[in-house]
Amino acid sequence: MDWLLDLYHRHGDWRDLTLVMLSPLFAVFIAMEAWRFRRTGVFDFRDTFDSLNSGGSYLVADLVLLVVLVLPAMGWVYDHRLFTIDVTPWRFVGLFLLVEFLYYGFHRASHRIRWFWCAHVVHHGSEKMNFGTALRQSWFYPIAGNWLFYLPAVWLGFEPRWVLFALSLNLGYQFFVHTTWVDKMPAWFEYIFNTPSHHRAHHGRNPQYIDKNFGGMLIVFDRLFGSFVPEEEPVDYGLEHPFPTHNLFWLNAHEWRAMFRDMARESTWAMRLAHLWKPPEWRRHGNGVQG
């Protein structure tokens, strides 16, 4: 790991490590929740191990790709920015709200465009809802291009690391909505913010919950753009088409393989390429490996 530390020392910044620094706090809450629900079935040892393994390896892969791919690309956009916006406390609030809006776009696209779903599907693979589930993230987010959705903030004039720092804080908040421990928050809070109730619905494969509640910290954009649904009937967690495996590589790669197999079955390049931007359910073949 010396090469990784050297790479970070040469190109890194403390803001890049926000989620790493929050990891001990996450671990405490996972342990507390696991103890609280130890006899209820909320946790499954192998499922939680998969989530922790996925989350840890994701942090390493994300940090490497951040330094070698994401920051150079964002830096190029920043060099061609419209303005230069120095970050003050109030401007950071504005940046945070802008990043929340861009996150909504990323999250909605990740459910409705198969290329992005191939990465995001990892997060929905668990059939449990607990704090550990929040850590299930894809190695391939930077390769799929999740960072492209935040380029408007950089082009507008915010320095890339401040944009990514705002995103990291947003993701840190989202850790705490992955739980059944909290039923409902006060009505005013439920109306404005993403909550455990809203996010439980998001993780449901019940027909009325599919592709709903895309907000990160806020739920207001879902209300504005018609993608909000309240949690009403009990949530059935997981994928419509599960891919049961404990192999870390296939947890991350199974939907990519499924997409490329579907592309190979088409007779024309137009139809093959359409799989990249069509919704995940478009022309699915019954090969049992899709999410």
Side-chain angles (χ1 to χ4, degrees):
M1 297 296 289
D2 290 342
W3 67 272
L4 180 59
L5 291 173
D6 180 64
L7 188 66
Y8 173 73
H9 287 148
R10 285 188 284 115
H11 302 287
D13 181 273
W14 66 269
R15 288 165 291 183
D16 304 335
L17 298 177
T18 302
L19 292 177
V20 175
M21 292 186 290
L22 287 172
S23 294
L25 180 64
F26 297 159
V28 169
F29 273 83
I30 290 171
M32 290 169 57
E33 186 186 40
W35 177 257
R36 168 64 178 79
F37 295 100
R38 61 191 180 279
R39 296 187 180 94
T40 63
V42 169
F43 276 82
D44 172 82
F45 172 79
R46 192 58 192 264
D47 177 83
T48 301
F49 180 79
D50 290 342
S51 295
L52 295 175
N53 207 8
S54 178
S57 57
Y58 157 77
L59 285 177
V60 174
D62 190 64
L63 186 59
V64 172
L65 289 169
L66 175 73
V67 173
V68 302
L69 171 64
V70 177
L71 284 174
M74 284 188 161
W76 184 87
V77 174
Y78 187 67
D79 288 341
H80 297 81
R81 62 194 179 274
L82 294 178
F83 311 101
T84 298
I85 304 176
D86 295 323
V87 172
T88 64
W90 281 113
R91 286 176 182 171
F92 185 76
V93 171
L95 171 61
F96 193 88
L97 293 175
L98 174 58
V99 167
E100 170 69 27
F101 174 69
L102 298 174
Y103 176 85
Y104 174 86
F106 149 75
H107 200 181
R108 189 162 185 167
S110 292
H111 280 252
R112 302 309 301 145
I113 298 173
R114 194 171 184 187
W115 172 265
F116 296 113
W117 174 247
C118 284
H120 189 61
V121 67
V122 179
H123 184 61
H124 286 264
S126 176
E127 296 183 347
K128 303 291 183 180
M129 174 55 81
N130 53 58
F131 288 136
T133 303
L135 304 184
R136 262 186 206 239
Q137 303 294 337
S138 173
W139 299 343
F140 300 114
Y141 270 140
I143 301 298
N146 65 324
W147 50 274
L148 295 171
F149 290 86
Y150 306 101
L151 290 182
V154 177
W155 185 56
L156 189 62
F158 288 102
E159 197 272 329
R161 279 198 162 95
W162 281 116
V163 175
L164 295 173
F165 178 59
L167 176 61
S168 293
L169 293 180
N170 194 307
L171 295 175
Y173 173 90
Q174 290 183 54
F175 170 86
F176 296 99
V177 300
H178 291 81
T179 185
T180 59
W181 202 342
V182 177
D183 183 18
K184 294 276 189 177
M185 303 294 287
W188 68 268
F189 197 94
E190 293 278 341
Y191 192 82
I192 299 172
F193 293 96
N194 190 16
T195 66
S197 176
H198 299 330
H199 205 63
R200 286 193 293 269
H202 174 74
H203 273 260
R205 55 189 170 195
N206 317 51
Q208 72 270 34
Y209 294 150
I210 294 172
D211 295 341
K212 300 294 184 182
N213 297 359
F214 298 112
M217 184 174 181
L218 305 177
I219 205 68
V220 292
F221 295 116
D222 287 286
R223 295 185 186 277
L224 284 172
F225 299 120
S227 54
F228 172 73
V229 65
E231 179 191 26
E232 292 176 337
E233 72 174 53
V235 182
D236 180 23
Y237 301 109
L239 299 169
E240 290 183 89
H241 306 278
F243 184 81
T245 182
H246 298 294
N247 182 294
L248 185 59
F249 175 79
W250 288 116
L251 280 173
N252 282 272
H254 71 87
E255 182 68 12
W256 295 100
R257 180 178 69 174
M259 182 182 71
F260 289 127
R261 280 181 172 178
D262 284 349
M263 292 174 68
R265 290 186 177 98
E266 302 292 355
S267 58
T268 66
W269 276 104
M271 292 295 289
R272 289 170 189 152
L273 295 176
H275 283 277
L276 299 177
W277 62 79
K278 291 287 187 177
E281 69 273 13
W282 184 74
R283 290 176 64 88
R284 282 187 177 276
H285 294 275
N287 55 18
V289 298
Q290 287 138 301

